[in-house]
Each structure stands twice: as C-alpha cells, then as structure tokens.
Amino acid sequence: MTVVNRSTMRYFILWLLTVPTGLIYVFLNYPPVQVNWMYVAVFIVFGFLTTYYPMLRKGIPIFLVLWVTVPAFLMYGLFIEMIVMQISILAILMSLPSKLPLLQRFFINSTLFIFLSIIAAIVFDMVGGEIGSIEFWPVIIAVFCYQFIHTVFNDIGLRIYAVYKKVNSPFFSKDLLVDYAMNLVVLPLSLSFYYLLQFVGAGSFLLIGIPFFFISLIIRLYNNSERINIDLRQAGDIGNGLSELLTEKAVIDQFVIKVSDMFDADYTYLFDHQDGWLELLRSYEHGKFIDIDFALLSAGQGIAGSVLEQNKPLIYSERKEWESVSKDYSPSGMQSVLCVPISRNQKIEAVLFLASDKKSFFDDYQLKILDLLCSYFTVTVEKARYMQEAVAKNERCALTGLYNYRYLEERLTYEMDRLKNNEINNLSVVLLDIDYFKQVNDTYGHQSGNDILYMFAKKLEAALPTGGTVGRYGGEEFVYILPGIEKAEAVDFAEILRAEIGSHGFTIIPDLVEDKYPQVVYITSSIGVSSSPLDTDEAMTLLRNADRALYLGAKQAGRNRVAEYVK
C-alpha cells in the first residue's frame, strides 16, 4: 500500500467515526420538524452553486456559503444545515485543483465541517438562540456568535492541518482579515434571507437567492477581467525586461524564469526546433534550472511533438489525459500541462511546455497572454542575435561561437606579458585536434561535420577552467590558453578532457542519407601541451610548441592521446 493510500485510509477511518455518527446522532436527538423539502432542495442547489462558482480576490476563491447554511439552520436546525454544508463541500472539491487525492480531500473537509457545524450550533444554543425564532435582537446576537465561531474554528482547523503537514502558514495576514470582513458583510444578507423566507415564503428565493448568485457570478467575471488586465501589464513588463538583454542566452533564461513565475508552473521546458526535430534547450523545475538527458523529438512524438505537428497549443487538465501521449521524461507529480508553439514569420521556432503538480491548473485565457509573451520573446531573441553577431563578428568563429585565431593571438600575447610582469607564474597552451575528422565529413556529410564541430566546441567551453580562454584555432583544431596553470596540471586537464571526449556521444542527423534520423557518433582527439616559462618565453613559440607536441607526440604516436612538448 502506498503512502498516499495509507494516508487516505487514515482520513477515511476518522471520517467514518465522526461524520456518519454525527449525522445519525443529530438526527435522532435533534430531528428537523415541519421541513419543506422543496426549500431544502433549493438550499442545496444554492449552496452547491455558491461554492462551485466562488467569488475571487486576486485569484483566491472566497466561499460565502454561510448565506445559505445560516437560513437553513435557523429554519430547520442542525441536521439540515449539516446536509447542505456536506453537499456544498463536493462543489468546493470540484472547483479547486489540488495535489491531494479527491477522496482524501473530501474526508478531511467533510470531517472538519461536521465539527464546525456542531460547535457553532452549541454556541448558538448557549447564547439563547432558538430554531424558527423571529425575535430580531436575540436572533441577531445568536447568529453573529454562530457565524463568528464557525469562521474562527474553520481558521483554527486549517492552521492545525497546516502544522500537521509542516506547511508554513502565517498566523495573521491581510487575506485572513478580508475573509472575516466578507463573512461579516454576508451576515445581514443571510438574516434578511431568513426573515423573508419566514414572512414571504418561496418568493424569497427570487428576491434574494437568485439575484445574489448572479451578482456573485458578475463579480467573478469582473475579477477575471481584472486578472487578465494585470497579466497583460505583467506580460508587457516582461517584454520590456527582455528587450534590455544583449545576449541570446540571457534572453532565453530570463524568458523561462519569468514565464514560469507568471504562470506559477512547477515545470517549464523550452524546445528548439530544427528541421522537424525538437531539442530540449532549457529545463526549469521548481524554481531552478536542471540538466535532463532528453532525446530528440520528431513531429508528432510526445506532447511537444504533437504541438509541432499540429501547430496549435494543447491543454491537459490531469495526467491521465496525456500520459499515453507523453514520451521519455515526465516527473511523477506532473498533472496539468500547457504546451504552445513559438512562431516567427509563420514558422515554428520553438515549443514551450508548462506543467503543474495541480490538476485543472491552466485556463484557456492564458493562451493569449502566452502568445503575447512568445511574440516578445522571438523579437528579443532575434535582436539579441543581431547584437551578438555585430559584437562578435571580428573576434568569434561564426560556426562554433568560440574565439577565432586573431583574438587568440592577441589574448596569448596579453597573457605572456602578464607572465613577464610577474602577474602570473605559469602559462599553458592546450591544443586539440579531432582525429579522422575528414572521415566524419565523408561519411555523414559536411553539415553533420559542422554540427559536431559546434557541439564539440560547446563541450570544450563547458570544461573551460576559471580565467582561461578557449577558441577555434582553425579547421578541426581548438586551443585553450590557461594562465596560472603549470605544465603538469595542464597535462592532467588535457587527459581528463580527452577521456570525456572519447566517451561522449554526439547526436547528429546525417544529411547524406534519404531517411534522416538521429544518430550518435563517437570521436576521439589528439592533444598537445606546452607551458611557459618552462618551454619558452615567446607567445607564438608557445603555440607552435603545443602544435609540435600535438602532431609529433600524439598524432604520429597513434592518435587519441595527450603529448607534452619536450625540448
């Protein structure tokens, strides 16, 4: 039996000992008299609708079911009130998403509200309240005490549960004050409803019940429109913030963070689209970036692949709706999903995947907000790329994004000057060459070769020691400039790097075959190492020494090895 099932069973046993027992006890000892069952049915309907369509404040639901349960209690007593409240609980469970199983939530809420009904009724009786009474002030005082105790003990029960579940919940908050104020405002309405029922009869449902329900709906719709306006303003602020960033990586990371925060998503994944394939670009879970070994997705494969194929967003309310569609990675807690294409000039550039641990978490209106954010994103990414290209045009390799030969020469001269001025004690150069790279081009095509060069460069960049510089020396050759690192340390670094390169699979889509599909390619590298002042005190000589070690000590000795320069 799982932990969740055991927990649900414990709540069920508690519910079984309290709720049915409490209902039977109240019915036998305080039976309702002269019940108009049509009235009771209307009370149940209004109670259900009030909790299923609650008022919203800043997106937080406010349940004002007491406007129905108080008249039901005053007219027919505790048993009828308990029945109306218990059925209203079902509407609360249906309208609110939660991580907890439905049965567990029902047992918890049902048990809590049985206790609240009994405690409030006891207080009502203690202050002299009488069922069916129409004496104004005694009823006012008794109902005020009844409603106050009901609200206070509800809050206490929720806080005890929060402590039990180790959830941080402030003892006093502005939202709590609003909750008390709203219940106080509803008090005159509930009393007016009761008195009208006593003196007017069924017409009271038309005079107060139906108008109040529709006013609640109107307020709810107004709050929804306000929420949309707030989201639109927030989207505009996010767009302005993105436009101030100068690099593509910064734009992507900021976009993922801000979208995740705005939609309160537990999981955010951004997929890049290239030639009908989706590659996971960023993964952001529970407020932090993580690395995931995620296979490429083709059009129609998985949820993101389906969005790519259909070029339209998908929304799922719970896990069972999408579990059969999902491929590869999907955290066990994930429930609601919102996945949208990101297009630029009618071409899908990426796919954004949002998910929550809660069911029914995302709304259709959020698609328009997300579409606006994605428009900001694509424009800003394009601008950032243009800026990066303009800045890096003279010092970066267009293919790999690493520094080019001209920049490396200037950097090496700069670091050698620092060495001569005793600002650093050592300076090492590590030169790498991909073994048999011509065979890669001949076998898989030049585009695949370029893809490997790009991925190889990113791997080198990720391994770069602090303070060092890595660049493309030319062709399939790359170089590290490592200030402050002596030769033995540089050789150890090169040996670790060589082993990692040899064991790493590079995923490509060959362009020399008709049936294109991802394929993993393994490559090796030969490496030469030279250091100053041990080997030379001239910048270009240091580079040539590393080149000599690479070809004489590594290439000619069999490749896939590290060689250090020897005078």
Side-chain angles (χ1 to χ4, degrees), residues 92 220 232 236 310 314 427 535 553 566:
I92 295 176
R220 179 184 174 94
L232 285 171
Q310 300 171 22
L314 291 175
L427 176 61
D535 297 330
V566 179

Side-chain angles (χ1 to χ4, degrees), residues 27 32-44 76 79-80 83:
F27 181 79
V33 294
Q34 297 181 344
V35 178
N36 185 326
W37 291 105
M38 185 195 75
Y39 281 18
V40 173
V42 177
F43 282 139
I44 290 173
Y76 303 120
F79 180 77
I80 297 299
I83 294 297

Side-chain angles (χ1 to χ4, degrees), residues 13-316:
I13 294 172
L14 177 63
W15 177 85
L16 196 62
L17 293 174
T18 55
V19 177
T21 304
L23 286 169
I24 293 171
Y25 176 83
V26 170
F27 181 79
L28 292 177
N29 291 275
Y30 306 97
V33 294
Q34 297 181 344
V35 178
N36 185 326
W37 291 105
M38 185 195 75
Y39 281 18
V40 173
V42 177
F43 282 139
I44 290 173
V45 170
F46 276 141
F48 186 89
L49 293 175
T50 299
T51 50
Y52 191 77
Y53 298 104
M55 291 185 182
L56 298 174
R57 179 180 176 270
K58 296 181 179 179
I60 300 173
I62 300 175
F63 299 101
L64 301 177
V65 70
L66 286 172
W67 84 274
V68 176
T69 57
V70 168
F73 172 74
L74 289 173
M75 292 193 69
Y76 303 120
L78 180 57
F79 180 77
I80 297 299
E81 185 273 345
M82 293 167 74
I83 294 297
V84 174
M85 181 63 79
Q86 289 293 309
I87 294 176
S88 298
I89 289 170
L90 295 175
I92 295 176
L93 302 182
M94 293 170 62
S95 64
L96 288 182
S98 175
K99 298 179 183 179
L100 294 177
L102 181 63
L103 279 177
Q104 187 176 132
R105 293 165 59 206
F106 173 74
F107 294 143
I108 294 171
N109 285 275
S110 178
T111 304
L112 172 63
F113 279 98
I114 279 290
F115 280 112
L116 291 178
S117 296
I118 294 173
I119 293 170
I122 291 172
V123 172
F124 176 85
D125 185 65
M126 289 174 61
V127 298
E130 294 183 11
I131 302 301
S133 173
I134 58 174
E135 295 186 37
F136 186 74
W137 285 111
V139 172
I140 291 287
I141 295 171
V143 169
F144 174 81
C145 294
Y146 170 92
Q147 193 160 343
F148 179 76
I149 291 298
H150 200 287
T151 305
V152 169
F153 274 79
N154 178 52
D155 184 56
I156 292 173
L158 293 175
R159 293 181 188 285
I160 291 173
Y161 181 74
V163 172
Y164 172 69
K165 285 295 186 178
K166 298 179 181 179
V167 176
N168 186 22
S169 178
F171 183 77
F172 180 81
S173 66
K174 186 177 179 181
D175 290 334
L176 179 64
L177 186 62
V178 171
D179 190 34
Y180 278 79
M182 290 296 293
N183 278 286
L184 189 62
V185 168
V186 170
L187 178 60
L189 177 67
S190 61
L191 285 170
S192 300
F193 194 14
Y194 166 65
Y195 279 112
L196 277 174
L197 285 168
Q198 289 284 30
F199 292 108
V200 177
S204 306
F205 292 112
L206 296 174
L207 293 173
I208 288 186
I210 294 176
F212 178 78
F213 174 69
F214 279 103
I215 288 172
S216 299
L217 284 181
I218 291 170
I219 293 174
R220 179 184 174 94
L221 292 173
Y222 172 77
N223 285 331
N224 281 339
S225 65
E226 282 294 294
R227 183 179 175 186
I228 293 173
N229 290 333
I230 292 172
D231 285 349
L232 285 171
R233 288 194 295 270
Q234 187 177 351
D237 293 339
I238 292 174
N240 291 332
L242 291 176
S243 66
E244 296 175 358
L245 302 174
L246 299 178
T247 67
E248 182 179 356
K249 182 181 183 302
V251 171
I252 291 173
D253 289 349
Q254 186 77 345
F255 173 73
V256 169
I257 292 171
K258 291 298 185 181
V259 167
S260 181
D261 290 345
M262 181 175 179
F263 291 87
D264 199 19
D266 296 308
Y267 313 92
T268 303
Y269 308 114
L270 182 64
F271 294 89
D272 183 40
H273 173 224
Q274 294 292 337
D275 299 324
W277 292 90
L278 292 177
E279 178 184 5
L280 183 61
L281 198 60
R282 291 288 189 278
S283 49
Y284 190 73
E285 296 186 1
H286 298 290
K288 61 181 180 180
F289 286 102
I290 63 171
D291 293 324
I292 298 174
D293 186 13
F294 199 95
L296 293 175
L297 292 176
S298 63
Q301 186 180 16
I303 298 173
S306 298
V307 168
L308 174 64
E309 182 180 54
Q310 300 171 22
N311 192 18
K312 66 178 183 180
L314 291 175
I315 297 182
Y316 296 101

Side-chain angles (χ1 to χ4, degrees), residues 224-454:
N224 281 339
S225 65
E226 282 294 294
R227 183 179 175 186
I228 293 173
N229 290 333
I230 292 172
D231 285 349
L232 285 171
R233 288 194 295 270
Q234 187 177 351
D237 293 339
I238 292 174
N240 291 332
L242 291 176
S243 66
E244 296 175 358
L245 302 174
L246 299 178
T247 67
E248 182 179 356
K249 182 181 183 302
V251 171
I252 291 173
D253 289 349
Q254 186 77 345
F255 173 73
V256 169
I257 292 171
K258 291 298 185 181
V259 167
S260 181
D261 290 345
M262 181 175 179
F263 291 87
D264 199 19
D266 296 308
Y267 313 92
T268 303
Y269 308 114
L270 182 64
F271 294 89
D272 183 40
H273 173 224
Q274 294 292 337
D275 299 324
W277 292 90
L278 292 177
E279 178 184 5
L280 183 61
L281 198 60
R282 291 288 189 278
S283 49
Y284 190 73
E285 296 186 1
H286 298 290
K288 61 181 180 180
F289 286 102
I290 63 171
D291 293 324
I292 298 174
D293 186 13
F294 199 95
L296 293 175
L297 292 176
S298 63
Q301 186 180 16
I303 298 173
S306 298
V307 168
L308 174 64
E309 182 180 54
Q310 300 171 22
N311 192 18
K312 66 178 183 180
L314 291 175
I315 297 182
Y316 296 101
S317 297
E318 55 184 313
R319 189 179 187 90
K320 66 182 181 182
E321 295 178 359
W322 55 260
E323 198 163 22
S324 61
V325 181
S326 178
K327 299 293 181 182
D328 202 359
Y329 180 81
S330 57
S332 59
M334 186 184 292
Q335 290 288 345
S336 304
V337 169
L338 172 59
C339 191
V340 299
I342 301 178
S343 301
R344 176 72 171 162
N345 298 326
Q346 298 183 339
K347 176 185 176 184
I348 298 179
E349 300 286 347
V351 171
L352 179 66
F353 183 105
L354 303 177
S356 170
D357 288 329
K358 300 177 182 178
K359 296 180 181 179
S360 305
F361 190 70
F362 300 109
D363 293 324
D364 289 338
Y365 89 89
Q366 291 175 313
L367 291 174
K368 297 186 181 298
I369 307 297
L370 204 51
D371 184 59
L372 178 61
L373 282 170
C374 290
S375 298
Y376 286 137
F377 172 66
T378 54
V379 171
T380 309
V381 165
E382 188 172 334
K383 173 188 171 184
R385 287 173 180 169
Y386 175 80
M387 294 294 293
Q388 283 180 267
E389 289 173 2
V391 171
K393 194 171 183 180
N394 293 325
E395 61 183 33
R396 294 277 183 175
C397 165
L399 173 62
T400 64
L402 298 182
Y403 290 110
N404 57 27
Y405 179 76
R406 187 172 71 174
Y407 178 87
L408 291 171
E409 279 189 333
E410 295 174 355
R411 188 69 187 184
L412 186 57
T413 301
Y414 167 77
E415 297 293 358
M416 186 61 76
D417 289 339
R418 291 178 65 207
L419 179 68
K420 292 177 180 178
N421 292 330
N422 297 318
E423 295 178 33
I424 55 176
N425 296 321
N426 297 278
L427 176 61
S428 294
V429 167
V430 176
L431 189 63
L432 305 90
D433 181 84
I434 300 176
D435 297 328
Y436 304 111
F437 188 70
K438 184 177 183 300
Q439 292 182 12
V440 173
N441 285 329
D442 293 342
T443 304
Y444 304 107
H446 286 281
Q447 182 56 50
S448 296
N450 286 342
D451 292 340
I452 288 179
L453 286 175
Y454 175 80

